Amino acid sequence: MEKIVITIARQYGSGGRTVGKMLAERLGINYYNSDLIKKASEISGINETLFAKADEYTNESFLKRMKKERKDDVILGPDSPDYTSEANLFKFQAKAIRELAETESCVIIGRAADYVLRDYDNVLSVFVHAPQEFLVSQAGKKLSLKGKELEKHIAKIDKGHAEYYKLHTGREWTDARNYDLCLDSSKLGYERCVEEIIAYMNVRFK
């Protein structure tokens, strides 16, 4: 089988990461999430903590700085004052994602991987979503927050995902046109989501 990469973007509480782990186990391939930070750190020589701070969860100061930074794909060298800027860190992370796509089959969670790999023929992009009540129900199983506080927490995280995606791609995170498959995990369940992805793979990649 040729190398196939499945990218999974997901709403908080939708179970997208669980779907990704289950899919990777079923296919016998690697699963990458926060460990992408380590790979980007190894490539750049930049401390992992800086990558972690510039990860998918954005804040106001991050947004203000990013609007002033370069949006091209050129990676700045160590001699540049912007070597550890958020934009340059994203470029290193994108480089790590591309190297994975060129060397192995794997599942990659978040980090705008669908956009980074948009020109690769061996990539299947998925967006896992669900209605608000399902997101709250699932997130509530892992968090101590309740009611409005829990809803605000979910909204804050998804807002961070959307802003991170918009800044680095110029696209809307929830736009179905960005993905090959959009799956409602509340209707399908995690196991069926995995089955649907594999079924699509079988048709797409034969």
Side-chain angles (χ1 to χ4, degrees):
M1 181 182 72
E2 69 171 310
K3 300 177 184 66
I4 297 175
V5 177
I6 304 95
T7 69
I8 298 181
R10 75 288 179 216
Q11 285 186 290
Y12 188 80
S14 67
R17 287 187 298 179
T18 300
V19 170
K21 288 180 180 179
M22 292 171 62
L23 178 64
E25 291 176 1
R26 178 81 71 84
L27 297 175
I29 60 179
N30 288 325
Y31 165 93
Y32 293 100
N33 188 7
S34 58
D35 36 7
L36 275 171
I37 292 175
K38 181 177 181 180
K39 286 188 171 294
S41 176
E42 291 172 351
I43 291 173
S44 64
I46 298 172
N47 193 288
E48 288 183 42
T49 58
L50 292 178
F51 282 97
K53 289 179 181 178
D55 204 10
E56 292 181 293
Y57 308 101
T58 60
N59 54 55
E60 187 175 355
S61 61
F62 170 89
L63 297 177
K64 289 180 179 178
R65 291 195 302 273
M66 276 296 299
K67 288 177 181 178
K68 299 178 182 179
E69 294 191 16
R70 295 169 57 177
K71 297 298 192 296
D72 56 47
D73 294 327
V74 178
I75 296 178
L76 303 178
D79 56 333
S80 170
D82 294 322
Y83 185 59
T84 59
S85 67
E86 282 87 351
N88 211 43
L89 293 176
F90 178 80
K91 292 170 188 176
F92 274 117
Q93 190 165 259
K95 182 178 180 181
I97 290 172
R98 293 189 188 100
E99 288 185 359
L100 287 175
E102 292 165 4
T103 57
E104 63 174 276
S105 293
C106 60
V107 174
I108 300 177
I109 302 297
R111 292 164 182 82
D114 59 283
Y115 178 82
V116 172
L117 301 176
R118 63 193 182 282
D119 296 325
Y120 286 64
D121 294 330
N122 64 324
V123 175
L124 167 60
S125 58
V126 180
F127 185 77
V128 181
H129 62 96
Q132 177 71 5
E133 57 269 23
F134 182 85
L135 301 178
V136 171
S137 172
Q138 295 303 303
K141 295 177 181 178
K142 297 182 179 180
L143 302 173
S144 58
L145 300 175
K146 302 294 182 182
K148 293 297 182 181
E149 289 302 313
L150 179 57
E151 292 180 14
K152 288 181 181 178
H153 181 75
I154 294 171
K156 180 180 179 181
I157 291 178
D158 278 352
K159 181 182 178 183
H161 285 160
E163 291 176 340
Y164 175 96
Y165 191 88
K166 178 74 171 182
L167 284 167
H168 291 301
T169 72
R171 300 180 179 184
E172 298 300 325
W173 179 56
T174 56
D175 189 336
R177 292 172 295 183
N178 298 332
Y179 310 98
D180 296 305
L181 280 178
C182 292
L183 303 174
D184 185 336
S185 57
S186 71
K187 296 179 179 178
L188 295 176
Y190 301 157
E191 184 64 37
R192 186 62 184 274
C193 283
V194 171
E195 292 175 0
E196 291 299 321
I197 294 171
I198 292 176
Y200 187 99
M201 288 174 59
N202 289 335
V203 173
R204 165 90 175 272
F205 301 110
K206 300 180 180 179

